[in-house]
Amino acid sequence: MKLTLNIWRQANQQAQGAMRTYELDGVSEDMSFLEMLDHLNEQLNEKGEDPVAFDHDCREGICGMCSLMINGQAHGPEVTTTCQLHMRSFKDGDTITIEPWRADPFPVLKDLVVDRSAFDRIIQSGGYISVNTGSAPEANNLPVAKEKADRAFDVATCIGCGACVAACPNGSASLFLGAKITHLGELPQGQPERWTRVVDMVAQHDHEGFGGCTNIGECTAACPKEIPLDVISQLNKDLRTAMRHGL
Amino acid sequence: MATPTLIKGGRSTRSTIALKLLMAVTGLVFIGYVLLHMYGNLKVFAGQDAFDTYAHHLRTFGEPMLPHKGLLWIIRVVLLLSIIGHAYAAFTLWARANSARTSKYVVKKAVAATLSSKMMRWGGVALLLFVVFHLLHLTTHTINVNGDPESPYDRVVSSFQPEQWWVAAIYLLAMVALAMHLRHGVWSACQTLGLTNNARSRMRANSVAVFVAVLVAGGFALVPLSILFGIVD
Amino acid sequence: MTTNTNTSDAAGFFTLGDPIADTKAPTGVPVPQIWEERKAHAKLVNPANRRKIKVILVGTGLAGASAGATLGEAGYHVESFCYQDSPRRAHSIAAQGGINAAKNYRNDGDSVYRLFYDTVKGGDFRSRESNSYRLAEVSANIIDQCVAQGVPFAREYGGLLDNRSFGGVQVSRTFYARGQTGQQLLIGAYQALERQVAAGNVNTHTRHEMLELIVVDGVAKGIIVRDMVSGEIETHLGDAVVLATGGYGNVYFLSTNAMGCNVTAAWRAHRKGAYMGNPCYTQIHPTCIPVSGENQSKLTLMSESLRNDGRIWVPKKKEDCGKDPREIPEEDRDYYLERIYPAFGNLVPRDIASRQAKYMCDDGRGVGPEVDGVRRGVYLDFADAIARMGRDAVEKKYGNLFDMYKQITAENPYEVPMRVYPAVHYVMGGLWVDYDLESNVKGLFVAGEANFSDQGANRLGASALMQGLADGYFVLPYTIANYLADAPERIDESHPAVVEAQNAVQERINHFLTVGGTRSVDSYHKELGHIMWEYCGMERTKEGLTKAIGLIRELKADFWKNVKVLGTADSLNQSLEKAGRVADFFELGELMCIDALNRRESAGGHFRAESQTPDGEAERIDSEFAYVAAWEWGGEDGSPVLHQEALSYEAIEMKARSYK
C-alpha cells in the first residue's frame, strides 16, 4: 500500500522542529509499524536524506523502548506497543501523523526520540524493596495470597514506555507511578517502606514536572499493558494513609 | 522542567495528590450543600407558606445557641473556604498541566475521556460565574429582574416567569454545567479518595456519579421548569 | 584433544596456540565443594577501601544489573553503561518461560546435583563441571533474593511458589511469572540497581555504547564509550571492567534478540587480547513465529512452555501443506517428535526440536506461506489441550502468548494451530573466562550470556536467567573482590594506551562517515545474516562453512569500501551506531564459521552433517573435541589462534546424549 507520512523532524534537543511530509510506497500489511519506518529510512538513505530517528529495541512488545504518537494516539490505534502494531491496521492511501511523546519532562532528543530518564529517577526515589543481596530469607517462608500476588503481577507488567504520560491531557505519570506503588504495596515484602515510598515517589514525580492526575482515563486506554486505573486510586489511597502517618 | 536530581525530604502534604485530595474534600462539601439546597428548593411544591417558613427558619436555626443567621454564616464561611480551596487546587493543577506539555500535539485523539471530564475546567469557571450571578440575583438582589418582592417564594416564582425566559435559561444551562461537573467530579473524588481499587468499585463510582449528577441537576431544574410552564405559580 | 593445524577441517584458517586451563577453580576437592573452597580462600577488600575502587560495568541485563546492584551494596563505586535509554530495557526482559532453581519444592526428586547433571548433559558435555555445579548450587539463593525484592512469581492458592516443568527435564523446578519471567526478574534487578544509584554508589550512563577496551600489559584499565546523543567520545578508567553485554545472535540479522543487541563490546575486548570461547555454539529456539516476508526485522519467540501442552505436527502428505490444518484428518498428520522420540515427545531439547522442524520443511512438508519457494513452519496445535483442559485453563496458562501470536500473525490460535519455526535465540559461546569469570585479560570480567562458561554446547530452557543472575548476584561479587584486593595499578588519560584507543575509535567513526559508499548498513547486515543462517545455522557442513568464510570476507571488504552512512558524528546517528556493530559482526561471523569448521563433531546446538549416527542423530566425538575452543585474535591480516582447554568429567560420566 501507499501512505503519506507526516513526521516530526528535529535535529537535536535545542533545535526547532517541524513536521515533514513523506510519500511511501510498497508497504505491506504484514510489516510492523517500525518495519514500515525502516522501509522509509532505507529510501531516505538512498536519497541521501537523514533517516528518521526513533526509539526501538526488542520489537516484541516488552522492553518499552518504542514510543510514537500515531495519529494522535500513543502507540497507535491498537492496544499494544508500536513495535507490535502492524500495517494491517491502516489502509492504502492513509495519511499518518507521527509525533514524539510530548511532555516537558520527556524532552525530545532527536526526531521521534525522547529522554525518559525521569522514570528512572522516580524509581530511584523509592521504587524498590531494600534488600541487599545475600540477606534474603528462604522464599517460601513468606506465603503471599494468590489474589495479592496476581494483582502485584498484573500491575508489575508495566514496561515504562511512557504512553500514559503521552496520552494524558495533563502530562501526568500517575499510571506509571501507581503501577509501581501497587506492585510493591500489594506484597508483604513491600510493607516496611510502603508509606515513605509513596511520599518520595510522588515528590519525585512532581519534581520532574509531570502534571497532576484528573482521573480522565486516557492513560489506561493508551497503556499497551492495560494497567487499570485502579492503580491510581491505590496510589492516592496510599498517599492519604502516609499523610495520616504524618509523612 | 526535568532536572536530573533526586529530591529529598518530600512531604505528602506538598504533593499534587494533596491538591487533588483538597479538591475532592471541598467538592464533597459542595455536594452535601447542593443536596440540602435542592431539598429546600423543592419546598416550592409544598406552597408559599412552607417555602417561606423554611427560608425564615434557616435564619433562626439553632437560636438561641446560635445568633440570628448564625447557621447561615457558618455555612457561608465553610462554603467560601471550600471554594477558595477548590479553585486554588484546580488552578494550580491546571497551570501544572499546561507547563507539563508546552509543545502541543499536532494531532491528538481522546479515546477514553468523557465529555464531562473535558468540560471540567471551563465548566468549573462557568459555574463559578453562575454562583456569582445567583448570589447577586437571589441573595443580595443586586440583579433585580422582578421588582424584588418581600416573600422568598414570590421572588423565586416571579424570577422564572416566561416573560423573563432568559433567567430560567441561565439557570437551566447552569444546571447542565453542574450535572457535567458532578458527573466527573463525584467519580474523580472517589478515585482520589482511593475508593476505587478494583473494576467493580470503579463501575459503582461511575454509576453513583451519574446518579448524583442527574439527581441534583434534575432536582434543581424542576423548580424553574415548573414555574416556566405554569405548574407552580 | 587432538586437533592440530593439519588434520582440522579448518586447516589453513587458523594457527594452533598453547593449551590453556582454568587456574582458579580449586583442585583436589570434589566438584560439590569447589565453590565453598574458592570462597573460603578468595581475598577480601576492606569495606573502607571499597568506596575508592571503581568498577566499570557494561550492560544492564540480568547479569549486569544484578552485579551493579550487588557491587554497589558492597560499597564499590560502579560506573554502569547501557546503550538503551534505561537499564530496564536490556533484552533479558524478553525472556518468557522461567528460571530454574534446585529448590525441590515439588518433592519430585530434584536436587542441586540433578540440576547440575541436567545442565552438563543438556550442554552435551562441553561445559566445565565446576562452573555448572556452582550454577546449580546458587540457583536456590536466586529465588530467595528475587522474592525478597518483590518479584511477583506465580503462586499456588496456598500462597507458596508455583513451579512448572520446562524444556526437556523430568522435574518441576522452573519458577515463572506468567510468560514474563525475564521482565519481572530484570525489573527486580533494575530496581535494586536504581536503589544504589540513589545511594550514590552507582552512576548510570544510558544511551552510551562501549566502543573500545583499554588494555595495558594484558590488564583491562577502562573503556571508551560514545554518548549516543551528543556523539561525544568519553574515556572511563577503573580498577576492573565487567562486560555483561549479552549475546551476539544478531550476527544472523534475523533472531529473537533485540535490534540493538550486538557483539561490539565483547569483540573489541577480543581484539585487545581476550579469548573468544566456542563462538560457534548458538542455540536455535524451536518455537518462534515464522518469517512472513522480506521486510521482516526480527523474529519473535514464543515460550517453549507451549510445548508442555501443544503438539507439534506437519502433514504426512506434501499436497496437504497448503490446506486449512483443521481439515487435515488425524491419520494424515505426522506428530514427528512423538513418533521419533516417544519418551520425551514434544519436550525434546531445543536443538533436536529445531533440527527436526528443519528436516520436515526441507522434506517439503512445511506449512504456512512460501518464502523463497519453501514453506518454513510446523504446526503447534492446542486443539487436544483445549479439549482436555478446557479453553479457560489454556487461556490462563498461555493467554498472553496466544494474544501475542494473534497480534503478529492475525490468526487466532484458539481456533487454528499456531505455526512455529526455529530461530536464533541464544549463544552459548562468548568470551572465555576462568572459574572467577575473569578473562585471560586480567581485570576483565565477563558475566551472563556474554561469557561462554556454564552452558556448554547447548542450554536448557530456563537456564539463561539463572546464569545471568547467578553470575551477577552470587559469583562475580566474590571473585572480583579477590582481584580488587590486590589494588590494581591505575593509569590516567594521558597514558598511550588510552590515546591509542581514543584515536582508534575516532578513526573508525570518521571512516564510516567519509567512505561515501552506496549501500545501507542494514542491507549488508541482512546479507551477512543470510550467509550465517544458511551455512552456520542448524546444520553445518565443511563445504558450506568454507564457502561462508569466503562469502563473508568478500562482503566485509565491500562493506568497508561501499557502505553509506549519513549524518554527523556529533549527534544521535542510528546508522553510524549500526555500522560499527555490523563491522564487528563480520569479523565475528568469520570466526564462528572457522570454529564451526574446526569442530568436526555434532555437539548440542552445533550439528555437523559429517558427524551423525546411522539413524541421523548427532554424534559427538569426545576423543577429539572434548575441549573448549578459546580463540585468540590473530591480528587484522593474521589468522586466529586456537587455544584448547581440555574438559574432564569427574562427577558425571561422559556419555552420549540420548532422548529416544
Side-chain angles (χ1 to χ4, degrees), chain A residues 30-31 35 38 42 45-46 48-49 51-60 62-65 80 84 86 88 109-110 113-114 116 120 123-124 127-134 136-140 142-144 146 149 153-154 156-160 176 180 183 187 189, chain C residues 70 73 83-89 91 93-94 96 103 105 143-145 147-150 152 155-157 159-161 177-178 180 183-184 187 190-191 194-195 197-198 207 229 256 258-260 295-298 300 407-410 473-474 520 522 564 566 572 574-575:
Chain A
D30 285 329
M31 283 181 181
E35 284 164 358
D38 289 342
E42 276 286 316
N45 197 61
E46 230 159 79
E49 283 182 56
V52 179
F54 59 93
D55 265 332
H56 64 101
D57 201 23
C58 78
R59 296 208 178 184
E60 49 185 288
I62 194 76
C63 75
M65 187 106 173
T80 186
Q84 296 292 290
H86 285 73
R88 64 180 84 94
L109 298 174
K110 184 178 182 183
V113 175
V114 301
R116 285 169 288 196
D120 289 332
I123 297 298
Q124 283 160 25
Y128 48 75
I129 288 169
S130 297
V131 52
N132 282 1
T133 305
E138 153 60 38
N140 258 352
L142 195 65
V144 182
K146 190 164 164 51
F153 173 82
D154 284 339
T157 55
C158 167
I159 56 175
F176 168 77
K180 189 47 61 192
H183 162 206
L187 297 170
Q189 300 90 309
Chain C
T70 308
E73 287 158 10
Y83 73 79
Q84 298 91 344
D85 78 332
S86 164
R88 68 179 291 153
R89 309 215 194 276
H91 200 56
I93 206 159
Q96 296 167 1
K103 282 282 198 186
Y105 283 160
I143 300 304
D144 297 343
Q145 182 62 28
V147 166
Q149 286 171 343
R155 288 179 182 266
E156 294 168 333
Y157 282 98
L160 301 180
L161 293 159
R178 226 164 290 169
Q180 282 125 288
Q183 181 198 24
Q184 295 308 318
I187 289 175
Y190 155 74
Q191 287 171 184
E194 295 294 353
R195 172 172 165 246
V197 173
R207 295 192 193 270
V229 177
T256 67
M259 302 302 285
N295 289 291
Q296 192 143 355
S297 59
K298 91 151 258 154
T300 303
Q407 185 73 44
I408 294 172
T409 61
Y473 283 136
F474 297 109
S520 73
D522 273 355
K564 180 176 188 180
L566 298 168
L572 202 163
Q574 291 171 329
S575 314

Side-chain angles (χ1 to χ4, degrees), chain A residues 102 104 206 215 230 240 247, chain B residues 12 101-102 188 193 202:
Chain A
R102 292 280 186 209
D104 288 35
D206 294 352
N215 307 310
D230 317 352
R240 184 158 56 84
L247 293 168
Chain B
S12 59
R101 182 172 295 132
T102 50
S188 193
L193 291 169
R202 244 184 305 140

Side-chain angles (χ1 to χ4, degrees), chain A residues 91-136:
Chain A
K91 296 189 310 290
D92 186 38
D94 273 0
T95 297
I96 306 176
T97 302
I98 309 170
E99 297 176 76
W101 286 168
R102 292 280 186 209
D104 288 35
F106 287 170
V108 174
L109 298 174
K110 184 178 182 183
D111 298 340
L112 304 170
V113 175
V114 301
D115 176 1
R116 285 169 288 196
S117 56
F119 273 12
D120 289 332
R121 290 188 293 277
I122 291 178
I123 297 298
Q124 283 160 25
S125 68
Y128 48 75
I129 288 169
S130 297
V131 52
N132 282 1
T133 305
S135 58

